Amino acid sequence: MATAEMRLLTPPLADRDILGLRAGDQVRFSGVLLTARDAAHKRLVAGLDAGQSLPIDLYGQVLYYVGPTPPRPGMVIGAAGPTTGGRMDAYASKLMALGLKGMIGKGGRSRAVREAMQQHGCVYFGAVGGAGALLSKYIRSAEVVAYADLGTEAVRRLVVEDFPGIVINDVYGNDLYEDGRRTYAR
Amino acid sequence: MRTIEAQQITDTVARLCMEANYHLGVDMLAAFDHALKTERSPAGREVLSMLKENARIARTERLPYCQDTGFVICFADVGQDLHINGGLLEDAINAGVRGGYTQGYLRASIVEGPFRRKNTGDNTPAVVHTQLVPGDRLCLRLMAKGGGCENRSQFKMCTPAEGLEGAKAFVLDCIQNAGPDACPPLIAGVGIGGTFEKAALLSKRALFRDIGTPNPDAELATLEHDLLNEANTLGIGPQGYGGDTTAFAIHINTYPCHIASLPVAVTIECHAHRHRQAIL
């Protein structure tokens, strides 16, 4: 479960940043998060498979699975909570092979993806699903950097400050969802 | 014969879309408060506190509670003695969705076809279910249905031999399988009986009852109560981080069955349970 200690992460990340993380650790991100969800993942991996260079460098980066609402005038972004990570399972291993160090979403990942996380050194973080209004408050800037035609599904570069998350899957094979269920099932 | 203008329907739907997305119902806020008292898991309590704060920000800043502002599902109960002037009912509802989602800075989440996945840009079309009812009024019940939880909705054609126990086991199975993916604490709308499509419709309609309001049928009220208690022993908890609050409510609607059938449909709904109604 969540430990009392809060871990501060400043992406882009290096291996040493994630080796100390364990499932259940609470974290705060301050720095850059790149966004991508279903359509952007599909296009990124289609590009990779075709041998093209990607419009973004994923080395050391953290991908946030989010499709925000449009910002009101004067706002940086609209509501911006996580979407279900499992839908990105079909693509995630190929992106980890490029040096992706973290993924932020909600919901469980496949066994194959969890194994790839251990192999490549990548951590899956949970953000509170459905807390889109609250989570938007930690985002300082948002800029579309690829696939603008995808609208909400475009790739954005977010700069965040103290963005809250929790470690779901660490690089040692632990899973907060399994641990939590085991602890509280009656 | 009473007459209303299609434009009035459009304006109402636009307003309901925005209100549903900014203002979580008082029944849900009460459910958060209750769960904060009973939840043993510290991580679970923290999630619940964040959701309360999220609801406050959404309400005060007219910012959507969740970035998935949903597929609009509209149940339109049309009085037989009502005439709608100036356009088709479904067109009027879709015009309202278009207006509400555009003016309200809500996300366009609908693609024009299941394979050619081009975003329609204004969150249309809605899914509209129309039925004729006595009287000369129009009752619009509107829900902004999230995709993540809808993806965990399920249907099973049980056999009469499986009976009540089979239906209960399937509902709990659905909640277990939805797990952390569907943004618990969940609400399960359950439709039992009728046919394949009737059960699914019953399960959707069941979600419109306020949380904490018992089923008017005493037997079903007991069943809902027992299922909820069992669901909350699964240990999934808020966001799946482990805990006692896996579901806020289970609402059941039933209908007569064929002698051969026992259809059970379960619509899984997340804590971002956004719905509104208006009577014109």
Side-chain angles (χ1 to χ4, degrees), chain B residues 1-278:
Chain B
M1 181 73 75
R2 188 171 156 263
T3 298
I4 59 169
E5 295 299 319
Q7 187 60 46
Q8 199 184 339
I9 297 170
T10 295
D11 294 345
T12 302
V13 167
R15 176 174 59 80
L16 296 179
C17 289
M18 289 189 267
E19 281 182 5
N21 274 294
Y22 307 142
H23 301 277
L24 201 65
V26 288
D27 56 335
M28 291 300 296
L29 297 174
F32 289 162
D33 284 333
H34 177 72
L36 272 166
K37 290 186 196 130
T38 57
E39 178 58 62
R40 287 179 298 157
S41 151
R45 285 198 303 274
E46 185 164 339
V47 167
L48 291 163
S49 300
M50 287 174 76
L51 295 180
K52 270 187 74 173
E53 174 63 4
N54 186 56
R56 189 194 65 77
I57 293 170
R59 186 174 61 248
T60 54
E61 299 188 21
R62 291 174 66 79
L63 193 57
Y65 178 90
C66 177
Q67 76 291 334
D68 180 356
T69 51
F71 207 144
V72 176
I73 301 170
C74 185
F75 282 90
D77 291 352
V78 187
Q80 287 206 120
D81 301 319
L82 178 73
H83 172 65
I84 297 164
N85 189 47
L88 290 174
L89 172 63
E90 195 155 333
D91 291 347
I93 291 170
N94 279 325
V97 171
R98 189 173 297 122
Y101 274 69
T102 310
Q103 294 153 30
Y105 294 91
L106 304 177
R107 194 179 81 180
S109 308
I110 307 304
V111 290
E112 63 182 29
F115 303 118
R116 219 171 82 95
R117 300 186 72 86
K118 188 177 181 314
N119 200 304
T120 62
D122 56 16
N123 217 51
T124 63
V127 172
V128 181
H129 303 294
T130 306
Q131 83 175 16
L132 285 178
V133 295
D136 61 4
R137 298 278 160 177
L138 170 66
C139 176
L140 295 166
R141 288 191 184 85
L142 184 143
M143 175 181 299
K145 185 68 171 76
C149 52
E150 185 69 2
N151 285 349
R152 292 294 177 269
S153 298
Q154 292 194 60
F155 176 84
K156 185 181 181 190
M157 203 55 100
C158 294
T159 62
E162 287 174 286
L164 176 63
E165 290 310 312
K168 283 172 73 172
F170 178 60
V171 172
L172 290 171
D173 232 33
C174 289
I175 292 170
Q176 182 77 272
N177 289 333
D181 294 27
C183 281
L186 305 172
I187 299 148
V190 182
I192 308 177
T195 49
F196 179 73
E197 85 286 6
K198 180 70 180 179
L201 276 174
L202 290 171
S203 77
K204 275 287 183 315
R205 246 185 212 272
L207 292 174
F208 284 97
R209 185 172 12 121
D210 280 350
I211 307 302
T213 311
N215 196 306
D217 179 305
E219 208 174 323
L220 291 178
T222 305
L223 179 57
E224 289 179 356
H225 180 260
D226 293 350
L227 273 172
L228 181 61
N229 282 343
E230 285 193 53
N232 285 332
T233 65
L234 295 174
I236 297 166
Q239 284 299 305
Y241 299 164
D244 305 306
T245 321
T246 297
F248 281 137
I250 295 176
H251 289 174
I252 304 174
N253 278 342
T254 63
Y255 197 76
C257 296
H258 190 280
I259 50 174
S261 307
L262 176 48
V264 184
V266 180
T267 293
I268 297 290
E269 168 76 325
C270 58
H271 62 75
H273 180 40
R274 296 150 294 175
H275 60 107
R276 276 289 182 282
Q277 78 166 49

Side-chain angles (χ1 to χ4, degrees), chain A residues 34-45 63-68 81-85 87-88 91 95 104 106 147 150-156, chain B residues 66-69 107-109 111 117 119 147-148 151:
Chain A
L34 295 173
T35 76
R37 48 168 296 154
D38 307 60
H41 272 78
K42 187 171 188 173
R43 209 178 274 187
L44 283 168
V45 169
L63 271 187
Y64 180 23
Y65 302 150
V66 58
T83 195
T84 315
R87 288 198 318 275
M88 269 40 87
Y91 314 106
L95 303 186
I104 307 174
K106 50 107 177 170
Y147 311 153
L150 293 180
T152 184
E153 295 203 70
V155 175
R156 289 174 171 78
Chain B
C66 177
Q67 76 291 334
D68 180 356
T69 51
R107 194 179 81 180
S109 308
V111 290
R117 300 186 72 86
N119 200 304
N151 285 349

Side-chain angles (χ1 to χ4, degrees), chain A residues 3-163:
Chain A
T3 55
E5 195 185 355
M6 185 74 76
R7 312 295 291 263
L8 303 175
L9 298 172
T10 52
L13 302 178
D15 282 336
R16 65 174 180 279
D17 296 319
I18 60 170
L19 291 174
L21 297 174
R22 294 290 188 284
D25 284 350
Q26 296 201 39
V27 300
R28 296 274 176 167
F29 295 95
S30 292
V32 174
L33 303 178
L34 295 173
T35 76
R37 48 168 296 154
D38 307 60
H41 272 78
K42 187 171 188 173
R43 209 178 274 187
L44 283 168
V45 169
L48 270 183
D49 290 346
Q52 296 160 0
S53 61
L54 298 186
I56 48 170
D57 182 2
L58 289 173
Y59 188 81
Q61 299 293 339
V62 176
L63 271 187
Y64 180 23
Y65 302 150
V66 58
T69 63
R72 285 185 185 274
M75 305 282 283
V76 166
I77 200 165
T83 195
T84 315
R87 288 198 318 275
M88 269 40 87
D89 283 352
Y91 314 106
S93 300
K94 287 185 177 172
L95 303 186
M96 286 185 237
L98 298 176
L100 182 69
K101 285 288 150 212
M103 305 173 280
I104 307 174
K106 50 107 177 170
R109 309 306 296 266
S110 69
R111 178 171 298 277
V113 167
R114 284 179 282 156
E115 285 171 2
M117 289 169 59
Q118 289 181 255
Q119 184 194 334
H120 295 292
C122 180
V123 169
Y124 177 50
F125 302 91
V128 173
L134 174 64
L135 290 172
S136 75
K137 298 297 172 190
Y138 300 95
I139 300 172
R140 296 287 167 260
S141 69
E143 168 197 8
V144 173
V145 291
Y147 311 153
D149 61 300
L150 293 180
T152 184
E153 295 203 70
V155 175
R156 289 174 171 78
R157 181 180 187 274
L158 308 182
V159 176
V160 300
E161 195 178 326
D162 291 330
F163 185 94

